[in-house]
Amino acid sequence: MSDNRHEPPIKFAYWVPNVSGGLVISKIEQRTSWDIDYNRRLAQAAERNGFDYALTQIRFTAGYGAEYQHESVAFSHALLAATSRLTVIAAILPGPWNPTLAAKQVATISQLTGGRIAVNIVSGWFRGEFAAIGEPWLDHDERYRRSEEFIRSLRGIWREDNFSFRGDFYRYTHYTLKPKPAQPLPEIFQGGSSRAARDMAARVSDWYFTNGNTPENIRKQVDDLHAKAAANGHRVKVGVNAFMIARDTEEEAQRVLQEIIAAADPEAVNAFGAEVKNAGAASPEREGNWAKSSFEDLVQYNDGFRTNLIGTPQQIAERIVALKEAGADLILIGFLHFIEEVEYFGRKVLPLVRELEARREPVAAA
């Protein structure tokens, strides 16, 4: 076992429901709203209950239950204005955005909020959305090459005056942005499970998000990612997606899970599955996100059920610590009824996580 005497506590993020339909493709009742008043209250509740980050979503078109979508960067700023400690991660999609616009938007928000803004660079999986808004659709690995140039450009603009860059997708000549973001610079997140996604993260990203999975499979990804990052003289942290159903009894939690799946919209789930599996299969190794997802997995957009944070607070706390021991630095969580479940997490689950972390550190040191 590794010596984790000095490892920081595991961090928590939540999916911001700035898109209608919640985080499951199901017709089950969800006491969650995509409107700004609900989201302000949710951000404040998350801040009170131990969350470090909030992740906004970027969607341009309706589909799979997401009829309405608020734009991510503007929405992130509204949540930051309603909070004092939470860091909000704004999703940015190369294509509709270019690095010049993103760098300036985020630098301004960073200045206005004391540096509490981060970005998630989404390379793109929804081909139909790109077609609808008239954006070219690149091959799988080309999307990641573009994203890497996007990140290198962002960092260069934020760090340097007279920034110059010559890439295949973006070019800059002696460009100076002022004001630059507050220090430290905004963190850069990205997602994906393909070889191209992990290789990009191992070169340029601060954080790598992966779909829900077991600790054993997370460990394989983490070991691969860390080895490649070390070879590049780089360090990258790992966030794991999860959908949490914490209830007083395991039977109640499992019943909620089955109710979500039973109320799933088969047409929407299968359409979503076809879209994302095509995107994953386009990777050379055919192992992108969702490559092995079942119908039940796809009811939650990012395989959150597979992480198995479903049960009693004690069961969930133990599974979170197991994910930490597998190499996860952050758990990104979706809920069915966001505000009330975020508060339940803060009362019942988080104290147990911190207690287990404290107990296990002396064992690891010994």
Side-chain angles (χ1 to χ4, degrees):
M1 184 180 292
S2 65
D3 182 344
N4 67 351
R5 281 173 291 184
H6 305 295
E7 287 185 3
I10 195 163
K11 295 181 180 293
F12 294 96
Y14 74 92
W15 283 98
V16 174
N18 59 302
V19 171
S20 64
L23 267 292
V24 289
I25 310 175
S26 176
K27 296 178 181 178
I28 192 171
E29 179 200 7
Q30 298 187 62
R31 294 187 291 276
T32 291
S33 173
W34 59 281
D35 70 39
I36 186 57
D37 290 338
Y38 181 91
N39 272 280
R40 286 193 185 105
R41 290 188 290 114
L42 171 57
Q44 291 161 354
E47 191 170 67
R48 290 193 306 270
N49 285 280
F51 282 83
D52 306 279
Y53 297 93
L55 174 65
T56 55
Q57 305 172 63
I58 183 59
R59 290 285 296 275
F60 285 93
T61 61
Y64 323 121
E67 186 177 1
Y68 300 100
Q69 316 92 28
H70 284 302
E71 189 277 315
S72 55
V73 176
F75 208 80
S76 295
H77 194 192
L79 299 184
L80 288 163
T83 54
S84 59
R85 296 185 307 278
L86 196 69
T87 295
V88 182
I89 310 163
I92 288 175
L93 184 59
W97 271 273
N98 64 45
T100 313
L101 172 62
K104 198 164 188 68
Q105 282 180 304
V106 173
T108 296
I109 295 172
S110 177
Q111 287 284 335
L112 296 176
T113 62
R116 292 190 294 123
I117 184 76
V119 295
N120 180 38
I121 305 304
V122 181
S123 295
W125 56 265
F126 192 177
R127 183 171 186 167
E129 184 171 68
F130 273 66
I133 62 175
E135 285 288 337
W137 181 249
L138 304 179
D139 289 343
H140 180 275
D141 284 10
E142 287 290 282
R143 297 198 296 277
Y144 283 97
R145 281 209 316 118
R146 176 170 66 179
S147 291
E148 182 167 338
E149 285 192 14
F150 195 105
I151 291 170
R152 291 185 185 278
S153 297
L154 273 184
R155 282 231 180 82
I157 293 167
W158 286 339
R159 286 176 175 165
E160 302 174 26
D161 290 341
N162 299 308
F163 173 67
S164 294
F165 180 81
R166 289 292 179 271
D168 292 332
F169 300 94
Y170 306 109
R171 297 192 172 199
Y172 292 90
T173 304
H174 306 307
Y175 175 56
T176 297
L177 172 70
K178 291 186 178 180
K180 299 190 186 304
Q183 293 290 330
L185 292 179
E187 293 177 295
I188 296 177
F189 293 71
Q190 66 151 106
S193 292
S194 66
R195 174 79 277 146
R198 287 202 300 277
D199 286 354
M200 183 181 99
R203 289 189 292 266
V204 296
S205 300
D206 297 310
W207 285 88
Y208 169 77
F209 278 135
T210 188
N211 273 9
N213 218 319
T214 63
E216 294 76 19
N217 287 328
I218 294 298
R219 168 56 68 191
K220 292 175 186 176
Q221 290 188 53
V222 168
D223 288 347
D224 176 73
L225 181 66
H226 284 178
K228 288 191 174 293
N232 295 327
H234 184 61
R235 295 183 66 185
V236 59
K237 290 176 280 191
V238 176
V240 177
N241 184 65
F243 190 87
M244 185 178 292
I245 305 174
R247 298 294 188 271
D248 291 341
T249 67
E250 183 178 11
E251 292 75 20
E252 184 183 0
Q254 289 295 329
R255 184 168 63 251
V256 173
L257 173 62
Q258 294 310 313
E259 288 171 353
I260 292 170
I261 294 171
D265 180 338
E267 183 177 351
V269 173
N270 288 327
F272 172 72
E275 190 77 45
V276 297
K277 284 177 180 288
N278 283 340
S283 65
E285 73 283 5
R286 306 178 72 82
E287 282 289 331
N289 277 350
W290 305 283
K292 298 176 181 177
S293 303
S294 67
F295 177 90
E296 289 76 12
D297 295 331
L298 292 165
V299 173
Q300 204 289 311
Y301 288 103
N302 292 92
D303 287 341
F305 298 153
R306 296 177 74 182
T307 314
N308 197 27
L309 299 190
I310 299 164
T312 65
Q314 184 67 38
Q315 290 172 319
I316 289 172
E318 290 171 357
R319 290 166 189 164
I320 287 170
V321 173
L323 287 165
K324 180 183 179 182
E325 292 179 342
D329 301 284
L330 176 148
I331 309 296
L332 170 61
I333 309 174
F335 300 94
L336 189 64
H337 311 302
F338 267 79
I339 290 179
E340 58 208 74
E341 296 195 49
V342 159
E343 291 174 342
Y344 187 96
F345 168 86
R347 289 196 315 272
K348 298 288 187 74
V349 179
L350 184 60
L352 295 175
V353 172
R354 299 305 184 216
E355 182 182 324
L356 287 171
E357 286 179 314
R359 282 185 197 167
R360 295 195 184 198
E361 285 191 5
V363 172

